[in-house]
Amino acid sequence: MKTIHVSVVTPDGPVYESEVEMVSTRAQSGELGILHGHIPMVAPLQIGAVRLKKGSSTELVAVSGGFLEVRPDKVTILAKAAEIEEEIDISRAEEAKKRAEMRIQSKQDDIDFKRAELALKRAINRIEVKQHKI
Ligand code: ATP
């Protein structure tokens, strides 16, 4: 099976780079599965996991929104923030989750509520990726 080159890049630098058989992730328009030879496209990404299939194993990268650019032999993900499983600090994510839940429960204005909801999604995504649950 032909492979596709994947790189995940953030404003802080590269996070992941590898040849993989398939890239699966959630774009804002829905679930995407990308194999070698996919038509070129650009899509905004949701907060979620990028699943990278390599042989019998699947690696996960937690991505906090951004863009995916597909070319027939290459996928580039430009993310606001992204972490491979090994880089995720689970206690930090659990703390961020608690803070966000408290903000959501307390009656604050709409802007704070939306920010807290996004923070909660980022935290849950990191926890799920770390636990390899996705
Ligand atoms: P926190 O409130 O813990 O900072 P956050 O969701 O607000 O979480 P981001 O703004 O998305 O954090 O990310 C800021 C930087 O910290 C990024 O480089 C991101 O990769 C890193 N980061 C955030 N949370 C974690 C985590 N749990 N483990 C490892 N790196 C993290």
Side-chain angles (χ1 to χ4, degrees):
M1 185 180 204
K2 276 194 176 173
T3 57
I4 187 160
H5 189 88
V6 182
S7 44
V8 181
V9 182
T10 73
D12 297 330
V15 168
Y16 180 93
E17 183 125 30
S18 187
E19 291 289 327
V20 307
E21 282 150 26
M22 180 157 132
V23 183
S24 315
T25 192
R26 217 176 316 142
Q28 294 197 352
S29 53
E31 193 71 24
L32 280 179
I34 300 153
L35 301 168
H36 184 104
H38 196 285
I39 51 160
M41 63 176 262
V42 173
L45 290 179
Q46 293 186 24
I47 295 168
V50 177
R51 296 189 300 282
L52 303 135
K53 192 172 178 307
K54 289 170 94 173
S56 57
S57 71
T58 301
E59 294 173 354
L60 298 177
V61 180
V63 171
S64 299
F67 285 89
L68 168 98
E69 188 199 21
V70 182
R71 287 194 237 142
D73 59 350
K74 191 169 165 30
V75 173
T76 308
I77 292 172
L78 303 168
K80 293 174 194 156
E83 304 87 35
I84 56 170
E85 288 166 69
E86 295 75 25
E87 292 294 320
I88 294 173
D89 176 341
I90 191 84
S91 346
R92 178 174 168 178
E94 300 275 12
E95 286 303 314
K97 179 171 176 277
K98 272 190 221 146
R99 273 199 311 278
E101 283 168 344
M102 273 167 57
R103 287 196 187 113
I104 288 166
Q105 276 160 21
S106 69
K107 300 237 179 302
Q108 290 188 343
D109 60 44
D110 277 1
I111 295 169
D112 281 348
F113 185 82
K114 280 186 185 130
R115 278 181 58 178
E117 270 194 331
L118 290 172
L120 181 60
K121 277 192 186 166
R122 292 195 298 274
I124 291 172
N125 183 40
R126 287 174 176 131
I127 293 165
E128 287 180 347
V129 166
K130 184 72 178 181
Q131 294 172 343
H132 208 109
K133 272 196 181 160
I134 300 169

